[in-house]
Amino acid sequence: MKILVCISHVPDTTSKINFTESDTKFDTNGVQFVINPNDEFGLTRAMWFKEKQGAQVTVVNVGGADTEPTLRKALAIGADAAIRVNATATDGFFVAKQLANVVKEGEYDLVIAGRESIDYNGGMVPGMIAGLINANFVNNCIGLDIDGNNAKATREIDGGKETVSTSLPLVIGGQKGLVEESDLRIPNMRGIMMARKKPLNIVEPTSADAATSSVSFEKPAPKGAVTLVEPDNLDELVNLLHNEAKVI
Amino acid sequence: MNPEYTQDDKTQIMSVLVYTESDQGTFKKAAFEVASYAKAVADQLGTSVTAISINVNDASPLGNFGVDKVLNVSNPSLNDFNAHTYASIIQQAAERESAQVVIVSSSADSKYLAPLLAVKLEAGYASNVIAEPSNTSPFTVKRNAFTNKAFELTQINTKIKILGVSNNAFGIVENSASASVEDFAPALPESGISVKSVDKASDKVTIADAEIVVSGGRGLKGPENWGMIEELAHVLGAATACSKPVSDLGWRPHGEHVGQTGKPVASNLYIAIGISGAIQHLAGVSASKTKVVINTDPEAPFFKAADYGVVGDAFQVVPELIEKLKAFKSQQ
Ligand SMILES: Cc1cc2nc3c(=O)[nH]c(=O)nc-3n(C[C@H](O)[C@H](O)[C@H](O)COP(=O)(O)OP(=O)(O)OC[C@H]3O[C@@H](n4cnc5c(N)ncnc54)[C@H](O)[C@@H]3O)c2cc1C
Ligand SMILES: Nc1ncnc2c1ncn2[C@@H]1O[C@H](COP(=O)(O)O)[C@@H](O)[C@H]1O
């Protein structure tokens, strides 16, 4: 089985978010970038398929040279090869077209992406890849087993979960639950050394129009001070929620 | 493409299409919110609103939120949600109506089908939209990005546009019109995915649908103490949620984990009990309108992000708050 894991390169979850160039660009100054948490769960599940079922695992990112350390980290965790599509990831549709192209060229059976990137929160790339290559698609995936050409997947739904059966070629939008938190791997020295020798192929993008473009950013207005209520005066809290906030 | 219409007619019948979700034959609350939003967009564009619904018993209530026409699909094979099939149905409705804008909610199901629909319609898709378009030419919307740490103004450049509206961001707007309801029988493509089993608590409010969410953190010490959280939620008609470590420790199911890496919360009221307010937690819940924090530690970071706070012990405050709320509810 050939697996492609899509890796989005995002600011660490504790990052302070700022913008530059008249609020049109994300300010990367002092920001640490990491593998998107949803993709880390997906990569870990891919490693399981590699170790238990002999799968071959390639990781891919659409981005500039600055994303390479993130791809190297995925190699150090255990992926066999990496691909970087050399283009700025301007919009979900554009990225999905690039990735669909990589899937077609490499004839991957399973594409593991994340439910959403924690930066732009588009939640669109995996479904678009599936649409573009005409593959089955399971979003919010929290469990995946593959047997030959058949797949059994569990997905989170509002208020519970659902088990579905489907087949390869398959794209999933993975999230927490796909593997145990304790199974996530931190690259060790040996992994880091080996990663240096693994292939990281740079491919040029195919031409595609961006369907959307980012115009500008804005930060939420600063929050007013909290209104504190004494623990022995909870009638006041009920009153405030009813008459002031009008939420009960 | 519908051969009955000529090019000119098509521009006239162009409309805004909205997918209105239902559960067991009845519209979800989110359906009325997206319908209200669709009406606002249609007014901006000077056109009408068509809704598409699936297996709804009575679609006429949509008229109260500005919908002019409803296309209702009735077919028992559609009782289980299937993103591929549903996307195809919405695509066929969009083509029939020559829809220029297609609107969906931010439910898990809508977020699942929207990217598939975007490919079918070659449409640009903006998710987590929080306000009506700030401009229709170029078509520009404001959306949440960076997990609520910022807003992004996004321009959609394609002929057809898909908007995913964030829950509770626009609200429900009554707009009395009368909706005509038509039966719609689209072609149903084969789907490569079949549902084997569904495991869902049917008697509970879900985090996605809830107007009020009551959430507990590690400060509650153990799963045995969740009775009061459940009871508080029950009194308020709220959904229950928890912080990440609480679900990691197995005190509560994974589906209750909210925050940057869990479910997003955009409720009207979010009550955080024994939760410190780490940046990853706040990011995922800060779209909620009013936030109440109950915590023993006056320095807990959550107080900086809260509207109302009680510095106190949850084990004393929560039972007493339940009593006060019961008294309040009985007077209403
Ligand atoms: C990559 C990454 C992603 C993450 N994503 C998420 C996420 O999506 N969601 C999330 O929640 N976390 C997330 N976290 C974890 C986050 O950083 C915090 O560790 C977590 O939110 C803390 O949970 P907590 O507030 O329940 O526990 P704690 O931080 O331990 O806080 C417990 C609080 O309870 C209070 N308390 C104690 N006793 C009482 C009492 N008797 N009455 C009232 N209050 C009391 C304490 O004062 C304290 O403030 C993530 C972390 C990482 C690294
Ligand atoms: N630039 C990118 N390169 C590779 N994969 C990506 C990229 N952007 C998004 N993805 C994948 O698509 C998922 C959802 O991203 P998004 O649609 O941006 O929310 C991510 O978790 C990744 O798996």
Side-chain angles (χ1 to χ4, degrees):
Chain A
M1 177 167 54
K2 288 185 77 179
I3 304 178
L4 185 70
V5 183
C6 303
I7 302 280
S8 166
H9 157 95
V10 298
D12 166 61
T13 56
T14 56
S15 302
K16 295 263 183 296
I17 303 299
N18 290 305
F19 302 98
T20 55
E21 299 181 35
S22 327
D23 289 332
T24 60
K25 291 269 174 323
F26 174 61
D27 185 357
T28 56
N29 223 322
V31 171
Q32 170 138 8
F33 281 85
V34 295
I35 299 176
N36 186 38
N38 291 318
D39 301 340
E40 204 178 338
F41 294 117
L43 177 61
T44 308
R45 189 64 192 156
M47 294 323 300
W48 188 92
F49 287 122
K50 176 182 151 118
E51 284 154 18
K52 300 280 192 283
Q53 300 188 348
Q56 224 180 307
V57 178
T58 303
V59 291
V60 63
N61 173 263
V62 179
D66 55 319
T67 71
E68 285 188 7
T70 300
L71 284 174
R72 286 273 175 222
K73 183 174 172 202
L75 291 172
I77 287 172
D80 301 301
I83 299 172
R84 179 171 70 81
V85 180
N86 186 27
T88 310
T90 44
D91 134 82
F93 223 139
F94 173 84
V95 170
K97 283 178 180 162
Q98 303 308 324
L99 293 171
N101 204 40
V102 171
V103 178
K104 280 187 210 148
E105 302 242 308
E107 298 178 330
Y108 294 94
D109 309 293
L110 172 66
V111 179
I112 300 182
R115 168 192 83 180
E116 69 172 15
S117 307
I118 62 166
D119 52 0
Y120 291 87
N121 308 110
M124 47 183 100
V125 169
M128 285 175 172
I129 299 172
L132 290 165
I133 63 169
N134 233 331
N136 292 315
F137 173 46
V138 176
N139 205 15
N140 301 102
C141 189
I142 53 171
L144 179 65
D145 288 301
I146 310 272
D147 180 8
N149 226 18
N150 298 320
K152 196 180 98 188
T154 310
R155 77 174 186 100
E156 195 168 276
I157 56 176
D158 290 336
K161 56 189 177 183
E162 177 179 276
T163 306
V164 301
S165 72
T166 182
S167 58
L168 303 178
L170 172 68
V171 180
I172 67 157
Q175 63 181 48
K176 182 185 162 223
L178 200 50
V179 293
E180 293 297 325
E181 193 94 359
S182 54
D183 291 338
L184 294 179
R185 302 170 188 200
I186 296 159
N188 58 22
M189 210 50 211
R190 185 160 166 271
I192 294 167
M193 297 303 284
M194 278 171 56
R196 291 196 190 142
K197 294 191 208 104
K198 290 177 179 173
L200 194 166
N201 294 323
I202 297 161
V203 302
E204 289 308 313
T206 59
S207 74
D209 290 330
T212 62
S213 40
S214 181
V215 180
S216 62
F217 297 94
E218 204 180 286
K219 294 225 280 183
K223 181 127 201 82
V226 58
T227 303
L228 288 179
V229 176
E230 290 302 318
D232 55 7
N233 190 17
L234 294 175
D235 280 320
E236 177 61 6
L237 181 60
V238 174
N239 173 39
L240 288 167
L241 291 178
H242 180 58
N243 292 314
E244 190 176 82
K246 299 190 166 52
V247 287
I248 60 169
Chain B
M1 287 295 130
N2 195 324
E4 284 165 48
Y5 300 110
T6 64
Q7 199 62 40
D8 280 345
D9 286 331
K10 246 193 317 194
T11 30
Q12 279 173 11
I13 62 154
M14 156 191 104
S15 72
V16 171
L17 182 74
V18 56
Y19 167 50
T20 43
E21 283 160 283
S22 57
D23 188 25
Q24 306 193 15
T26 316
F27 285 117
K28 291 189 186 173
K29 197 196 83 188
F32 300 137
E33 183 172 24
V34 288
S36 306
Y37 182 89
K39 171 65 177 162
V41 176
D43 283 348
Q44 283 194 16
L45 294 169
T47 179
S48 62
V49 180
T50 302
I52 170 98
S53 61
I54 294 171
N55 288 345
V56 167
N57 300 330
D58 175 14
S60 61
L62 289 179
N64 301 334
F65 308 97
V67 172
D68 300 285
K69 179 165 82 180
V70 187
L71 302 176
N72 185 47
V73 185
S74 300
N75 189 323
S77 75
L78 299 171
N79 281 343
D80 281 327
F81 172 80
N82 181 302
H84 293 265
T85 313
Y86 277 42
S88 167
I89 292 170
I90 300 170
Q91 172 200 10
Q92 291 172 66
E95 282 170 358
R96 176 177 141 148
E97 298 296 307
S98 303
Q100 188 186 359
V101 180
V102 179
I103 292 165
V104 300
S105 81
S106 287
S107 69
D109 288 352
S110 280
K111 284 194 162 175
Y112 186 176
L113 67 80
L116 296 169
L117 182 63
V119 170
K120 288 176 192 288
L121 294 172
E122 291 180 48
Y125 163 45
S127 55
N128 307 321
V129 171
I130 55 163
E132 59 181 285
S134 53
N135 195 349
T136 56
S137 177
F139 199 91
T140 314
V141 287
K142 189 173 181 175
R143 59 184 297 275
N144 270 326
F146 294 96
T147 330
N148 300 314
K149 292 180 203 164
F151 305 114
E152 181 187 40
L153 262 186
T154 300
Q155 184 178 313
I156 309 182
N157 307 320
T158 46
K159 187 160 151 262
I160 302 177
K161 291 123 184 121
I162 302 176
L163 308 181
V165 183
S166 196
N167 290 345
N168 293 317
F170 186 74
I172 289 174
V173 182
E174 304 250 353
N175 216 314
S176 136
S178 69
S180 63
V181 181
E182 287 176 27
D183 287 328
F184 179 50
L188 301 183
E190 284 287 308
S191 165
I193 295 190
S194 57
V195 175
K196 292 295 164 208
S197 66
V198 179
D199 174 7
K200 184 174 164 181
S202 53
D203 55 335
K204 287 186 102 188
V205 189
T206 65
I207 293 170
D209 291 338
E211 287 184 40
I212 303 179
V213 174
V214 176
S215 190
R218 199 150 51 182
L220 290 170
K221 315 281 192 274
E224 66 282 5
N225 297 324
W226 246 262
M228 63 182 187
I229 301 294
E230 301 260 5
E231 193 179 353
L232 179 58
H234 180 74
V235 174
L236 290 166
T240 51
C242 67
S243 67
K244 181 168 179 288
V246 165
S247 71
D248 288 343
L249 288 162
W251 296 359
R252 300 294 292 174
H254 279 304
E256 280 198 4
H257 157 209
V258 297
Q260 190 165 25
T261 54
K263 282 206 169 74
V265 181
S267 55
N268 285 329
L269 174 60
Y270 182 76
I271 305 182
I273 303 164
I275 300 177
S276 58
I279 190 164
Q280 298 96 347
H281 184 90
L282 292 180
V285 305
S286 64
S288 294
K289 297 223 173 65
T290 300
K291 290 171 277 287
V292 175
V293 171
I294 300 169
N295 196 309
T296 40
D297 176 8
E299 302 298 323
F302 215 142
F303 283 113
K304 290 204 177 64
D307 300 281
Y308 303 104
V310 181
V311 178
D313 182 349
F315 296 95
Q316 278 156 18
V317 173
V318 175
E320 200 174 322
L321 183 59
I322 292 170
E323 293 315 312
K324 301 284 186 199
L325 284 166
K326 279 185 180 161
F328 165 76
K329 292 276 174 184
S330 66
Q331 286 163 20
Q332 291 295 296

PDB file of all heavy atoms in Angstrom, chain A residues 178-194:
ATOM      1  N   LEU A 178      -7.460   9.289  16.114  1.00  0.00           N
ATOM      2  CA  LEU A 178      -6.960   8.381  15.083  1.00  0.00           C
ATOM      3  C   LEU A 178      -5.900   7.445  15.672  1.00  0.00           C
ATOM      4  O   LEU A 178      -5.797   6.280  15.304  1.00  0.00           O
ATOM      5  CB  LEU A 178      -6.379   9.223  13.947  1.00  0.00           C
ATOM      6  CG  LEU A 178      -6.202   8.598  12.584  1.00  0.00           C
ATOM      7  CD1 LEU A 178      -7.467   7.900  12.094  1.00  0.00           C
ATOM      8  CD2 LEU A 178      -5.793   9.673  11.591  1.00  0.00           C
ATOM      9  N   VAL A 179      -5.102   7.985  16.590  1.00  0.00           N
ATOM     10  CA  VAL A 179      -4.158   7.172  17.368  1.00  0.00           C
ATOM     11  C   VAL A 179      -4.218   7.705  18.803  1.00  0.00           C
ATOM     12  O   VAL A 179      -4.740   8.790  19.039  1.00  0.00           O
ATOM     13  CB  VAL A 179      -2.698   7.311  16.864  1.00  0.00           C
ATOM     14  CG1 VAL A 179      -2.544   6.709  15.475  1.00  0.00           C
ATOM     15  CG2 VAL A 179      -2.239   8.765  16.854  1.00  0.00           C
ATOM     16  N   GLU A 180      -3.671   6.939  19.724  1.00  0.00           N
ATOM     17  CA  GLU A 180      -3.594   7.426  21.104  1.00  0.00           C
ATOM     18  C   GLU A 180      -2.565   8.555  21.177  1.00  0.00           C
ATOM     19  O   GLU A 180      -1.533   8.498  20.516  1.00  0.00           O
ATOM     20  CB  GLU A 180      -3.145   6.297  22.039  1.00  0.00           C
ATOM     21  CG  GLU A 180      -4.151   5.176  22.194  1.00  0.00           C
ATOM     22  CD  GLU A 180      -5.449   5.637  22.828  1.00  0.00           C
ATOM     23  OE1 GLU A 180      -5.396   6.527  23.708  1.00  0.00           O
ATOM     24  OE2 GLU A 180      -6.514   5.121  22.426  1.00  0.00           O
ATOM     25  N   GLU A 181      -2.867   9.517  22.005  1.00  0.00           N
ATOM     26  CA  GLU A 181      -1.938  10.625  22.246  1.00  0.00           C
ATOM     27  C   GLU A 181      -0.547  10.091  22.628  1.00  0.00           C
ATOM     28  O   GLU A 181       0.478  10.591  22.188  1.00  0.00           O
ATOM     29  CB  GLU A 181      -2.503  11.447  23.408  1.00  0.00           C
ATOM     30  CG  GLU A 181      -1.884  12.771  23.600  1.00  0.00           C
ATOM     31  CD  GLU A 181      -2.665  13.857  22.882  1.00  0.00           C
ATOM     32  OE1 GLU A 181      -3.678  13.570  22.221  1.00  0.00           O
ATOM     33  OE2 GLU A 181      -2.215  14.992  22.980  1.00  0.00           O
ATOM     34  N   SER A 182      -0.530   9.016  23.418  1.00  0.00           N
ATOM     35  CA  SER A 182       0.742   8.465  23.913  1.00  0.00           C
ATOM     36  C   SER A 182       1.540   7.796  22.801  1.00  0.00           C
ATOM     37  O   SER A 182       2.726   7.499  22.975  1.00  0.00           O
ATOM     38  CB  SER A 182       0.463   7.467  25.036  1.00  0.00           C
ATOM     39  OG  SER A 182      -0.467   6.497  24.579  1.00  0.00           O
ATOM     40  N   ASP A 183       0.910   7.531  21.645  1.00  0.00           N
ATOM     41  CA  ASP A 183       1.647   6.934  20.531  1.00  0.00           C
ATOM     42  C   ASP A 183       2.378   7.962  19.673  1.00  0.00           C
ATOM     43  O   ASP A 183       3.171   7.590  18.814  1.00  0.00           O
ATOM     44  CB  ASP A 183       0.686   6.150  19.619  1.00  0.00           C
ATOM     45  CG  ASP A 183       0.150   4.905  20.306  1.00  0.00           C
ATOM     46  OD1 ASP A 183       0.812   4.442  21.254  1.00  0.00           O
ATOM     47  OD2 ASP A 183      -0.932   4.432  19.911  1.00  0.00           O
ATOM     48  N   LEU A 184       2.098   9.247  19.869  1.00  0.00           N
ATOM     49  CA  LEU A 184       2.784  10.282  19.084  1.00  0.00           C
ATOM     50  C   LEU A 184       4.284  10.183  19.357  1.00  0.00           C
ATOM     51  O   LEU A 184       4.698   9.912  20.484  1.00  0.00           O
ATOM     52  CB  LEU A 184       2.269  11.676  19.460  1.00  0.00           C
ATOM     53  CG  LEU A 184       0.811  11.971  19.114  1.00  0.00           C
ATOM     54  CD1 LEU A 184       0.435  13.380  19.574  1.00  0.00           C
ATOM     55  CD2 LEU A 184       0.544  11.825  17.612  1.00  0.00           C
ATOM     56  N   ARG A 185       5.083  10.381  18.304  1.00  0.00           N
ATOM     57  CA  ARG A 185       6.523  10.158  18.462  1.00  0.00           C
ATOM     58  C   ARG A 185       7.315  11.455  18.372  1.00  0.00           C
ATOM     59  O   ARG A 185       7.033  12.297  17.533  1.00  0.00           O
ATOM     60  CB  ARG A 185       7.030   9.229  17.361  1.00  0.00           C
ATOM     61  CG  ARG A 185       6.305   7.919  17.378  1.00  0.00           C
ATOM     62  CD  ARG A 185       6.645   7.121  16.158  1.00  0.00           C
ATOM     63  NE  ARG A 185       5.764   5.953  16.156  1.00  0.00           N
ATOM     64  CZ  ARG A 185       6.019   4.859  15.476  1.00  0.00           C
ATOM     65  NH1 ARG A 185       7.105   4.771  14.738  1.00  0.00           N
ATOM     66  NH2 ARG A 185       5.179   3.848  15.519  1.00  0.00           N
ATOM     67  N   ILE A 186       8.313  11.528  19.223  1.00  0.00           N
ATOM     68  CA  ILE A 186       9.252  12.636  19.123  1.00  0.00           C
ATOM     69  C   ILE A 186      10.469  12.069  18.388  1.00  0.00           C
ATOM     70  O   ILE A 186      10.938  10.989  18.739  1.00  0.00           O
ATOM     71  CB  ILE A 186       9.639  13.143  20.529  1.00  0.00           C
ATOM     72  CG1 ILE A 186       8.392  13.704  21.211  1.00  0.00           C
ATOM     73  CG2 ILE A 186      10.728  14.201  20.454  1.00  0.00           C
ATOM     74  CD1 ILE A 186       8.497  13.778  22.703  1.00  0.00           C
ATOM     75  N   PRO A 187      10.956  12.756  17.357  1.00  0.00           N
ATOM     76  CA  PRO A 187      12.081  12.192  16.604  1.00  0.00           C
ATOM     77  C   PRO A 187      13.283  11.963  17.517  1.00  0.00           C
ATOM     78  O   PRO A 187      13.608  12.822  18.333  1.00  0.00           O
ATOM     79  CB  PRO A 187      12.409  13.268  15.564  1.00  0.00           C
ATOM     80  CG  PRO A 187      11.306  14.248  15.600  1.00  0.00           C
ATOM     81  CD  PRO A 187      10.541  14.061  16.857  1.00  0.00           C
ATOM     82  N   ASN A 188      13.911  10.791  17.405  1.00  0.00           N
ATOM     83  CA  ASN A 188      15.131  10.538  18.188  1.00  0.00           C
ATOM     84  C   ASN A 188      16.350  10.801  17.312  1.00  0.00           C
ATOM     85  O   ASN A 188      16.230  11.081  16.121  1.00  0.00           O
ATOM     86  CB  ASN A 188      15.126   9.117  18.765  1.00  0.00           C
ATOM     87  CG  ASN A 188      15.002   8.069  17.669  1.00  0.00           C
ATOM     88  OD1 ASN A 188      15.312   8.338  16.508  1.00  0.00           O
ATOM     89  ND2 ASN A 188      14.536   6.895  18.033  1.00  0.00           N
ATOM     90  N   MET A 189      17.541  10.687  17.922  1.00  0.00           N
ATOM     91  CA  MET A 189      18.790  11.021  17.223  1.00  0.00           C
ATOM     92  C   MET A 189      18.951  10.180  15.957  1.00  0.00           C
ATOM     93  O   MET A 189      19.284  10.703  14.899  1.00  0.00           O
ATOM     94  CB  MET A 189      19.963  10.795  18.190  1.00  0.00           C
ATOM     95  CG  MET A 189      21.124  11.702  17.929  1.00  0.00           C
ATOM     96  SD  MET A 189      20.553  13.419  17.821  1.00  0.00           S
ATOM     97  CE  MET A 189      21.749  14.048  16.681  1.00  0.00           C
ATOM     98  N   ARG A 190      18.658   8.884  16.093  1.00  0.00           N
ATOM     99  CA  ARG A 190      18.834   7.998  14.952  1.00  0.00           C
ATOM    100  C   ARG A 190      17.893   8.404  13.816  1.00  0.00           C
ATOM    101  O   ARG A 190      18.292   8.478  12.648  1.00  0.00           O
ATOM    102  CB  ARG A 190      18.559   6.555  15.404  1.00  0.00           C
ATOM    103  CG  ARG A 190      18.829   5.548  14.329  1.00  0.00           C
ATOM    104  CD  ARG A 190      19.025   4.131  14.890  1.00  0.00           C
ATOM    105  NE  ARG A 190      18.933   3.197  13.774  1.00  0.00           N
ATOM    106  CZ  ARG A 190      17.795   2.658  13.360  1.00  0.00           C
ATOM    107  NH1 ARG A 190      16.661   2.940  13.978  1.00  0.00           N
ATOM    108  NH2 ARG A 190      17.793   1.829  12.324  1.00  0.00           N
ATOM    109  N   GLY A 191      16.664   8.691  14.183  1.00  0.00           N
ATOM    110  CA  GLY A 191      15.681   9.125  13.183  1.00  0.00           C
ATOM    111  C   GLY A 191      16.143  10.386  12.478  1.00  0.00           C
ATOM    112  O   GLY A 191      16.029  10.521  11.252  1.00  0.00           O
ATOM    113  N   ILE A 192      16.689  11.312  13.244  1.00  0.00           N
ATOM    114  CA  ILE A 192      17.138  12.587  12.665  1.00  0.00           C
ATOM    115  C   ILE A 192      18.302  12.343  11.706  1.00  0.00           C
ATOM    116  O   ILE A 192      18.354  12.901  10.611  1.00  0.00           O
ATOM    117  CB  ILE A 192      17.524  13.581  13.786  1.00  0.00           C
ATOM    118  CG1 ILE A 192      16.264  13.958  14.590  1.00  0.00           C
ATOM    119  CG2 ILE A 192      18.176  14.840  13.211  1.00  0.00           C
ATOM    120  CD1 ILE A 192      16.518  14.679  15.891  1.00  0.00           C
ATOM    121  N   MET A 193      19.228  11.454  12.095  1.00  0.00           N
ATOM    122  CA  MET A 193      20.369  11.131  11.224  1.00  0.00           C
ATOM    123  C   MET A 193      19.878  10.476   9.935  1.00  0.00           C
ATOM    124  O   MET A 193      20.295  10.831   8.836  1.00  0.00           O
ATOM    125  CB  MET A 193      21.335  10.157  11.926  1.00  0.00           C
ATOM    126  CG  MET A 193      21.998  10.693  13.183  1.00  0.00           C
ATOM    127  SD  MET A 193      22.913  12.209  12.889  1.00  0.00           S
ATOM    128  CE  MET A 193      24.347  11.517  12.065  1.00  0.00           C
ATOM    129  N   MET A 194      18.950   9.521  10.087  1.00  0.00           N
ATOM    130  CA  MET A 194      18.453   8.811   8.909  1.00  0.00           C
ATOM    131  C   MET A 194      17.678   9.744   7.977  1.00  0.00           C
ATOM    132  O   MET A 194      17.730   9.595   6.756  1.00  0.00           O
ATOM    133  CB  MET A 194      17.574   7.635   9.341  1.00  0.00           C
ATOM    134  CG  MET A 194      18.444   6.442   9.715  1.00  0.00           C
ATOM    135  SD  MET A 194      17.550   5.088  10.472  1.00  0.00           S
ATOM    136  CE  MET A 194      16.297   4.737   9.265  1.00  0.00           C
TER     137      MET A 194
END
